[in-house]
Amino acid sequence: MTAISYPLVERTLANGLRVIVSEDHTVPNVAVNLWVGVGSRHESPGRTGFAHLFEHLMFQGSRNVASGEHFSALMDEGARLNATTWFDRTNYFETVPTGAMELALWLEADRHGHLLDAVTQENLDNQRDVVKEEKRQRYDNVPYGKALIDIYATAFPEGHPYHHPTIGSMEDLDAATLEDVHAFYRAHYGPNNTVLTLVGDVTPEDGFAAAERYFGPLPAIALNTRERLGQLPPLPEPVRLDRVGDVPNDRIYVCFRLPVDTTPDYLACQVAVDVIGGLASSRLVRRLVRTDETAVAVGGWTMGLVDGVGLGTITVDVSSGADVEQVEAAVCEEISRFIADGPDTAELESVIADTERSWLSALASIEERADHISHHALLTGDPAYVNTFVERIRAVTAEQARAAAQAWLDPRSRAVVRYLADPGLPDEEADDKDSTKDSTKDSEEAA
């Protein structure tokens, strides 16, 4: 296999901003990607939802930019742009024609350094209402919409930084004063808490010069950081949460605490979850969907986190009339069989090939490549992970995957969230529901 070797050049400005440039002249575009080290895990009790709120406020104007002008000015140049919030960071990004790169950097520097000039009581009240409507649309009024909220609260203990979701508490947002919001921004939004990645039609020299020109004058902030938590062990016994309501079919989420992101055990767990349930050829698909016909769909995914834990989940959409208890028991049986035997050669090769294909496909996009570079620069300290991930996943052996499953995927350590169709609803009413979207596919809050 040819080694992945995207060029990476890094420089840290005097104010602490880390700037990474990956030169690629394939197309005349530049991906501008900023990761700020603030997400929902940095929020304190009574102040949840603030990180996501600021993702919205950042588009409402700053010292020299009118409300909405960030979008309009860049879209007039043919740009694509947005932002997302997650547990561990807030991400702002735009892909622009090469000639608009400096406009993008000027706009980003203005809001990252001078936002509070525009954060008025009126803007705060307006964006609070926007977030509430987003919660209604994405969580409250769609089938399985609160599944991730329930998974986090069930798998992680109360008080843990990943126990609450990025959308936060609407009560906390209602209680937030203008000074609370200003204080949150001053505590987290500074160049020394940010990574700026430029990927595309730009040289390192030009990229660093432009970053210095627009971000260099911004002052560093006083960071009050804490050490990341130690590794959270597997659950000592099974826990479960049942929700009975208006859903198209019963759905089971079988979840496990995992090691932190990028560690060898996390990667081995990723392989194990894919063999068990993550691919179209996985064991649970073959058993539950194709053979037993007790499920209409099976999925498996892992979530790489950095503050003392990761997350692995098997999702099963149960067939109408099938016994949900028996389906859950079958999931546990297949996991136990994997722990006993590990993957065979064909299963391991299939997972490695699929993971490699997905990774290379992602990196082919300058937007996604920039995002992965920023991710690992900020959260793992290793932007070159984009070049080494495939080697690491290919190095996972069958025995390592089996041993990782034994340590982290033991069914006795599972957290189970079940969404059960209300038997009191008429069948035709349940059939008329127009969405079966699995909201767990997207754990980020987007503007």
Side-chain angles (χ1 to χ4, degrees):
M1 185 192 81
T2 303
I4 301 172
S5 57
Y6 287 106
L8 299 167
V9 185
E10 181 174 349
R11 182 175 298 172
T12 300
L13 304 188
N15 58 13
L17 178 71
R18 293 180 66 183
V19 184
I20 302 164
V21 179
S22 182
E23 186 175 2
D24 182 347
H25 301 289
T26 306
V27 293
N29 291 334
V30 179
V32 178
N33 189 289
L34 292 103
W35 274 46
V36 183
V38 57
S40 58
R41 75 175 172 91
H42 301 94
E43 297 164 347
S44 56
R47 296 291 183 269
T48 65
F50 278 36
H52 177 225
L53 176 66
F54 263 102
E55 176 206 315
H56 285 261
L57 288 170
M58 289 283 274
F59 289 99
Q60 299 307 301
S62 50
R63 177 174 295 174
N64 299 297
V65 181
S67 179
E69 189 177 359
H70 191 106
F71 264 112
S72 63
L74 288 173
M75 291 179 72
D76 285 349
E77 299 292 330
R80 300 184 299 273
L81 66 151
N82 212 327
T84 63
T85 310
W86 192 42
F87 283 129
D88 295 319
R89 56 87 181 124
T90 308
N91 172 215
Y92 302 91
F93 53 94
E94 44 263 317
T95 300
V96 299
T98 305
M101 182 190 75
E102 296 211 19
L103 171 62
L105 291 174
W106 177 78
L107 288 165
E108 289 289 5
D110 200 67
R111 67 179 179 177
H112 280 266
H114 310 296
L115 181 78
L116 293 186
D117 291 20
V119 180
T120 63
Q121 188 67 50
E122 180 183 3
N123 268 348
L124 173 58
D125 292 341
N126 173 268
Q127 291 309 301
R128 265 196 287 233
D129 289 341
V130 170
V131 171
K132 289 178 183 179
E133 181 59 24
E134 179 180 339
K135 182 175 183 292
R136 285 189 285 268
Q137 291 183 2
R138 294 189 60 192
Y139 292 86
D140 298 342
N141 297 323
V142 295
Y144 320 108
K146 295 182 179 178
L148 274 176
I149 295 175
D150 289 336
I151 287 170
Y152 303 149
T154 305
F156 305 135
E158 189 169 354
H160 193 277
Y162 297 136
H163 180 79
H164 74 273
T166 51
I167 195 71
S169 160
M170 299 305 100
E171 292 76 18
D172 288 353
L173 290 183
D174 280 338
T177 67
L178 190 62
E179 179 49 40
D180 291 334
V181 172
H182 278 226
F184 188 85
Y185 176 86
R186 289 192 295 264
H188 298 288
Y189 276 82
N192 50 325
N193 198 34
T194 302
V195 169
L196 166 63
T197 299
L198 304 173
V199 175
D201 188 25
V202 58
T203 65
E205 294 76 18
D206 288 345
F208 294 140
E212 179 66 50
R213 185 153 51 249
Y214 298 108
F215 283 87
L218 303 184
I221 61 173
L223 286 174
N224 183 21
T225 57
R226 62 162 174 82
E227 292 293 320
R228 291 178 182 173
L229 299 179
Q231 177 65 55
L232 196 65
L235 284 161
E237 59 185 8
V239 296
R240 69 175 57 248
L241 173 66
D242 282 355
R243 299 286 191 195
V244 178
D246 184 9
V247 293
N249 54 266
D250 295 341
R251 179 177 289 174
I252 309 171
Y253 301 90
V254 182
C255 311
F256 300 90
R257 297 173 181 173
L258 297 187
V260 297
D261 193 20
T262 76
T263 58
D265 274 356
Y266 175 81
L267 296 179
C269 285
Q270 183 178 338
V271 169
V273 168
D274 278 344
V275 171
I276 294 166
L279 303 183
S281 59
S282 72
R283 294 184 179 188
L284 285 173
V285 171
R286 297 200 305 267
R287 175 172 176 177
L288 299 180
V289 179
R290 299 177 185 170
T291 302
D292 297 350
E293 297 184 350
T294 54
V296 295
V298 171
W301 47 271
T302 59
M303 185 181 292
L305 304 169
V306 298
D307 206 354
V309 73
L311 182 67
T313 300
I314 301 293
T315 306
V316 182
D317 280 313
V318 180
S319 298
S320 177
D323 187 304
V324 69
E325 304 286 350
Q326 292 180 3
V327 172
E328 182 181 333
V331 171
C332 293
E333 287 173 11
E334 289 301 321
I335 294 173
S336 295
R337 187 164 70 86
F338 184 92
I339 290 172
D341 302 333
D344 62 32
T345 301
E347 288 174 323
L348 187 62
E349 289 179 350
S350 178
V351 166
I352 298 301
D354 186 79
T355 304
E356 181 177 340
R357 177 198 57 78
S358 297
W359 187 252
L360 294 177
S361 177
L363 295 188
S365 157
I366 62 171
E367 294 97 333
E368 292 194 57
R369 196 186 321 157
D371 201 54
H372 283 298
I373 292 169
S374 291
H375 175 142
H376 289 286
L378 182 73
L379 298 182
T380 71
D382 181 17
Y385 193 79
V386 295
N387 289 330
T388 63
F389 169 70
V390 168
E391 295 175 16
R392 297 179 191 219
I393 204 74
R394 290 177 68 90
V396 175
T397 66
E399 173 54 26
Q400 287 170 336
R402 188 209 63 77
Q406 182 178 37
W408 297 98
L409 302 178
D410 190 321
R412 293 170 296 184
S413 298
R414 70 189 186 275
V416 180
V417 174
R418 304 191 304 185
Y419 276 62
L420 307 175
D422 187 344
L425 284 176
D427 290 343
E428 61 270 18
E429 181 176 342
D431 290 343
D432 284 343
K433 299 305 171 184
D434 61 2
S435 174
T436 58
K437 177 185 177 185
D438 180 357
S439 65
T440 61
K441 301 292 185 187
D442 180 7
S443 61
E444 299 175 350
E445 305 299 339

